[in-house]
């Protein structure tokens, strides 16, 4: 059997090293993972009870339409229920979009570097990737607009961007959206939306009324702390959602995940607490960089990309030997950098202490 040509040589997504694997490899008793932008404070305390109550229903298929979660999410966002599509993480929404729109005659426009799954899913469909270099770590929307041609089907704007944490402000996004042809879908991936502090961050939900070619992605994996349960969602026009929904697998979000997400939504005080803590703790890394003269990208997310002017693999291995799993910048397109997820105060103090020792 011959696999489709677009799959040949394609590598699967490489997540951060698991904690138990690092413990076994290096003989460490304690390992702190600050690699995958997870919420170090977990999820709302009410989620655990909700999950336990759902175990009695595990023999029954989940609600394929995720009605309860759909209603709660729509009410919170102020959109119609028919404007939502739920997925096994927002990753699956990206997959559904690519499956629904792309062929080997099309192209997509993305920033470079940005979240890998835009290009990954497009390549599987045989689609051309037009990657436009970042400008000081930020999406260069003027150049991305120039890259659009008659064969462009989608443009992905990762906002805040992973791996840089930078953001496209409202003026830039609006200017871009107005210029994009109406038959090109603009995907605003807002996975880190709940962590954003910038006052001029785009308010995209109201734009859906005037821009049916806009799709917004959000997730329960980051600030809501439900990464292992895999629930994300897309928000778009009712017509767009109706057209792409057949590309969604049956029962793609499970019962426990739906209940956890529904319960997590009800505890916005927890989200606000995580927002405040992240803002405070992120400042510690900024202070470390400025004290030591290191470049960094101002982050609107729960991670920071720092240029420590050494090979990323060296920094990564040093921190790993000390029990910290981080993200090697070499794999992200920044060869002398490291990306660190903002942890708890204790975790951040420890890793900054190790980095300081490393400098001596």
């Amino acid at each position: 059997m011959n696999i489709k040509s677009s799959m040949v040589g394609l590598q699967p997504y490489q997540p951060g090293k698991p904690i138990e694997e690092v413990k076994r490899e290096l003989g460490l008793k304690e390992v702190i993972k600050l690699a995958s932008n997870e919420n170090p404070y977990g999820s709302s305390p009410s989620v655990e009870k909700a999950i336990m109550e759902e175990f009695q229903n595990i023999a029954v298929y989940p609600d394929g339409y995720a009605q309860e979660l759909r209603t709660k999410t729509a009410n919170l966002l102020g959109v119609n229920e028919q404007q939502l599509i739920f997925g096994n993480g927002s990753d699956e929404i990206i997959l559904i979009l690519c499956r629904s729109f792309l062929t080997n005659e099309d192209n997509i426009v993305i920033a470079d570097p940005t979240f890998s799954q835009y290009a990954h899913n497009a390549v599987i469909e045989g689609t051309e990737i037009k990657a436009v270099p970042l400008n000081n770590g930020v999406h260069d929307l003027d150049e991305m607009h120039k890259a659009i041609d008659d064969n462009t089907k989608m443009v992905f704007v990762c906002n805040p961007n992973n791996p840089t944490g930078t953001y496209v402000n409202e003026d830039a996004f609006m200017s871009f959206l107005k210029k994009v042809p109406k038959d090109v879908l603009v995907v605003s991936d807002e996975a880190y939306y709940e962590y954003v502090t910038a006052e001029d961050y785009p308010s995209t939900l109201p734009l859906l009324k005037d821009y049916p070619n806009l799709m917004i992605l959000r997730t329960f994996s980051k600030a809501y702390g439900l990464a292992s349960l895999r629930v994300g969602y897309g928000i778009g026009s009712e017509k767009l959602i109706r057209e792409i929904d057949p590309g969604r697998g049956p029962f793609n979000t499970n019962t426990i995940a739906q209940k956890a997400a529904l319960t997590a939504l009800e505890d916005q005080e927890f989200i606000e607490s995580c927002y405040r803590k992240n803002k405070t703790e992120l400042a510690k890394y900024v202070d470390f960089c400025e004290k030591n003269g290191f470049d960094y990208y101002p982050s609107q997310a729960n991670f920071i990309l720092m240029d420590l002017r050494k090979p990323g693999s060296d920094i990564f291995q040093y921190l790993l030997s000390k029990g910290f799993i981080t993200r090697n910048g070499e794999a992200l397109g920044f060869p002398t950098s490291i990306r660190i997820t903002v942890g708890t105060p204790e975790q951040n103090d420890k890793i900054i202490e190790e980095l300081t020792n490393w400098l001596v």
Side-chain angles (χ1 to χ4, degrees), residues 267-280:
D267 191 354
Q268 290 300 309
E269 288 184 9
F270 174 79
I271 298 301
E272 178 62 27
S273 172
C274 293
Y275 165 86
R276 292 195 304 269
K277 291 174 182 176
N278 184 75
K279 181 180 179 181
T280 298

Side-chain angles (χ1 to χ4, degrees), residues 166-210:
T166 54
Y167 77 107
V168 170
N169 66 34
E170 186 163 25
D171 287 346
F173 187 78
M174 283 302 306
S175 175
F176 176 71
L177 196 58
K178 289 175 181 177
K179 292 186 293 185
V180 172
K182 299 305 180 186
D183 60 347
V184 174
L185 181 66
V186 177
V187 182
S188 180
D189 187 346
E190 303 174 4
Y192 299 94
Y193 169 81
E194 289 81 6
Y195 288 114
V196 172
T197 62
E199 293 183 0
D200 60 347
Y201 181 81
S203 179
T204 49
L205 287 173
L207 300 176
L208 294 171
K209 300 191 303 292
D210 299 319

Side-chain angles (χ1 to χ4, degrees), residues 39 41-53 223-226 259-260 262-274 277:
N39 188 337
Y41 307 104
S43 58
S44 166
S46 57
V47 167
E48 182 177 354
K49 180 182 177 183
I51 287 175
M52 296 303 294
E53 291 174 352
Y224 285 95
L226 303 179
K259 186 65 173 181
L262 174 64
T263 306
L265 271 181
E266 294 171 347
D267 191 354
Q268 290 300 309
E269 288 184 9
F270 174 79
I271 298 301
E272 178 62 27
S273 172
C274 293
K277 291 174 182 176

Side-chain angles (χ1 to χ4, degrees), residues 13-22 31-41 90-91 115 161-163 191-192 195 219-228 230 278 285 301-304 316 320 324-328 332 338-343 347-348 351:
Y13 181 77
Q14 298 295 321
K17 272 180 167 287
I19 290 175
E20 293 305 316
E21 179 182 330
V22 173
V31 172
I32 297 171
K33 184 184 178 187
L34 298 174
S36 300
N37 307 336
E38 296 145 335
N39 188 337
Y41 307 104
S90 55
D91 297 328
F115 185 48
N161 187 44
N162 182 8
Y192 299 94
Y195 288 114
T219 184
F220 289 95
S221 294
K222 305 304 180 185
Y224 285 95
L226 303 179
S228 70
R230 314 304 300 124
N278 184 75
Y285 291 97
N302 67 333
F303 59 84
I304 186 167
F316 172 82
L320 196 64
F324 294 96
I325 307 173
T326 57
R327 203 67 169 193
N328 182 351
L332 303 172
I338 198 84
R339 193 193 70 189
I340 301 176
T341 301
V342 178
Q347 292 171 341
N348 299 323
I351 195 170

Side-chain angles (χ1 to χ4, degrees), residues 103-341:
T103 71
N104 60 7
E105 297 178 351
D106 305 317
N107 68 62
I108 66 167
V109 177
I110 61 173
D112 183 28
T114 192
F115 185 48
S116 63
Q117 294 304 285
Y118 312 143
H120 182 90
N121 283 289
V123 166
I124 291 174
E125 304 302 330
T127 301
E128 178 190 1
I129 313 298
K130 290 190 169 187
V132 177
L134 298 172
N135 184 359
N136 292 322
V138 181
H139 284 57
D140 190 336
L141 294 185
D142 288 338
E143 292 301 316
M144 290 176 70
H145 176 253
K146 291 177 184 177
I148 296 172
D149 61 27
D150 291 342
N151 296 320
T152 303
K153 283 289 182 67
M154 285 191 286
V155 179
F156 286 91
V157 180
C158 190
N159 202 22
N161 187 44
N162 182 8
T164 56
T166 54
Y167 77 107
V168 170
N169 66 34
E170 186 163 25
D171 287 346
F173 187 78
M174 283 302 306
S175 175
F176 176 71
L177 196 58
K178 289 175 181 177
K179 292 186 293 185
V180 172
K182 299 305 180 186
D183 60 347
V184 174
L185 181 66
V186 177
V187 182
S188 180
D189 187 346
E190 303 174 4
Y192 299 94
Y193 169 81
E194 289 81 6
Y195 288 114
V196 172
T197 62
E199 293 183 0
D200 60 347
Y201 181 81
S203 179
T204 49
L205 287 173
L207 300 176
L208 294 171
K209 300 191 303 292
D210 299 319
Y211 295 92
N213 63 325
L214 174 64
M215 180 81 169
I216 302 165
L217 304 184
R218 293 188 183 171
T219 184
F220 289 95
S221 294
K222 305 304 180 185
Y224 285 95
L226 303 179
S228 70
L229 295 178
R230 314 304 300 124
V231 188
Y233 59 98
I235 319 150
S237 71
E238 292 184 22
K239 179 177 181 293
L240 174 61
I241 299 300
R242 187 169 58 250
E243 289 174 341
I244 67 174
D245 198 42
R248 177 177 58 84
F251 312 117
N252 63 327
T253 56
N254 67 70
T255 300
I256 292 174
Q258 290 180 27
K259 186 65 173 181
L262 174 64
T263 306
L265 271 181
E266 294 171 347
D267 191 354
Q268 290 300 309
E269 288 184 9
F270 174 79
I271 298 301
E272 178 62 27
S273 172
C274 293
Y275 165 86
R276 292 195 304 269
K277 291 174 182 176
N278 184 75
K279 181 180 179 181
T280 298
E281 292 302 305
L282 181 60
K284 292 180 179 179
Y285 291 97
V286 171
D287 184 60
F288 166 80
C289 288
E290 293 188 345
K291 280 183 177 179
N292 292 284
F294 292 129
D295 292 329
Y296 64 94
Y297 287 108
S299 177
Q300 291 292 319
N302 67 333
F303 59 84
I304 186 167
L305 183 68
M306 307 184 298
D307 186 351
L308 304 186
R309 299 196 291 271
K310 298 284 186 180
S313 55
D314 290 355
I315 311 166
F316 172 82
Q317 288 299 331
Y318 171 79
L319 290 174
L320 196 64
S321 72
K322 300 299 182 180
F324 294 96
I325 307 173
T326 57
R327 203 67 169 193
N328 182 351
E330 291 179 5
L332 303 172
F334 298 89
T336 58
S337 297
I338 198 84
R339 193 193 70 189
I340 301 176
T341 301

